[in-house]
Amino acid sequence: MKKKRVELIKGDITLLDVDAIVNAANNSLLGGGGVDGAIHAAAGPDLLTECEKLNGCETGQSKITNGYRLKAKHVIHTVGPIWRGGFQDEHSLLASCYQTCLKLAKEKKIKTLAFPGISTGAYGFPLDLAALIAVTETKRFLNKNSYPERVIFVTYGDDNYETYRKLMDQ
Ligand code: ADP
């Protein structure tokens, strides 16, 4: 039987032994709270040093660095949109985050890639819509490309696990 290319787990993304984890960063790429703070803390100060050379990142775009002290070899930093009610292009900007991360993973021949729920914390994106965009964009990309081989959605806490589960079963 063919192995599933999309998986769902609960837990801390900083602990995963994968080729790359995605960071829900901000435009400065110089660290922040939430998953960004956790990734920088786990990766150590060399990650910030590399990020300082990147000149920030536009919303909806992504940039790749090494993973340093993480088990993950790379971090793909993407900047999700802040939810402002849904009329400021939030949907397509979040879709672009997933697309640009997946494209970078393909270019770097990354086999396993893990995503947190981009924009679903401090940036306030509705969980069900964010999960729908994440699953839709990922499945669409994987259907056309052989890299990344496997994508793991990582939910933190219970709130959005079931939302993803239902979408992935469809
Ligand atoms: P944003 O500013 O893009 O909303 P946050 O870091 O505030 O980013 O939240 C993004 C998502 O990451 C939220 O769903 C949050 O629960 C989750 N999260 C926070 N810490 C971790 C972690 N260590 N591992 C996985 N997901 C995490």
Side-chain angles (χ1 to χ4, degrees), residues 11-15 23-26 33-39 78-82 115-125 127 154-157 159-160:
D12 182 348
I13 201 167
T14 65
L15 303 177
N23 181 16
N26 56 46
V35 73
D36 195 0
I39 289 173
T78 191
V79 184
I82 298 171
F115 280 108
I118 300 159
S119 286
T120 62
Y123 282 6
F125 214 102
L127 289 181
V154 184
T155 65
Y156 200 61
D159 39 1
N160 44 2

Side-chain angles (χ1 to χ4, degrees), residues 7 24 29 37 43 51 60 73 78-79 82 89 97 106 120 141 153 162 165:
E7 283 174 43
L29 295 186
C51 284
K73 291 177 208 66
T78 191
V79 184
I82 298 171
D89 229 13
C97 287
K106 178 188 172 182
T120 62
F141 191 92
F153 295 116
E162 283 309 320
R165 178 87 278 155

Side-chain angles (χ1 to χ4, degrees), residues 29-167:
L29 295 186
L30 300 181
V35 73
D36 195 0
I39 289 173
H40 275 273
D46 290 345
L47 178 60
L48 183 59
T49 306
E50 186 175 356
C51 284
E52 280 167 352
K53 296 177 189 141
L54 298 177
N55 289 316
C57 184
E58 300 276 327
T59 304
Q61 298 300 308
S62 308
K63 293 190 178 180
I64 190 165
T65 65
N66 289 323
Y68 300 98
R69 291 182 197 158
L70 292 166
K71 279 193 188 141
K73 291 177 208 66
H74 298 279
V75 179
I76 299 180
H77 307 261
T78 191
V79 184
I82 298 171
W83 180 259
R84 293 192 169 94
F87 300 101
Q88 311 257 354
D89 229 13
E90 292 97 324
H91 189 128
S92 55
L93 287 168
L94 187 61
S96 171
C97 287
Y98 284 93
Q99 290 157 6
T100 54
C101 285
L102 289 159
K103 193 162 166 274
L104 271 176
K106 178 188 172 182
E107 282 163 14
K108 300 284 176 190
K109 292 208 156 41
I110 279 165
K111 289 186 182 165
T112 46
L113 176 67
F115 280 108
I118 300 159
S119 286
T120 62
Y123 282 6
F125 214 102
L127 289 181
D128 47 356
L129 183 54
L132 178 65
I133 293 168
V135 173
T136 307
E137 293 306 325
T138 299
K139 283 189 173 173
R140 182 181 292 155
F141 191 92
L142 295 186
N143 278 338
K144 292 190 201 142
N145 296 282
S146 45
Y147 282 95
E149 289 175 356
R150 210 151 57 88
V151 169
I152 304 165
F153 295 116
V154 184
T155 65
Y156 200 61
D158 291 333
D159 39 1
N160 44 2
Y161 185 86
E162 283 309 320
T163 314
Y164 273 93
R165 178 87 278 155
K166 283 187 198 129
L167 290 165

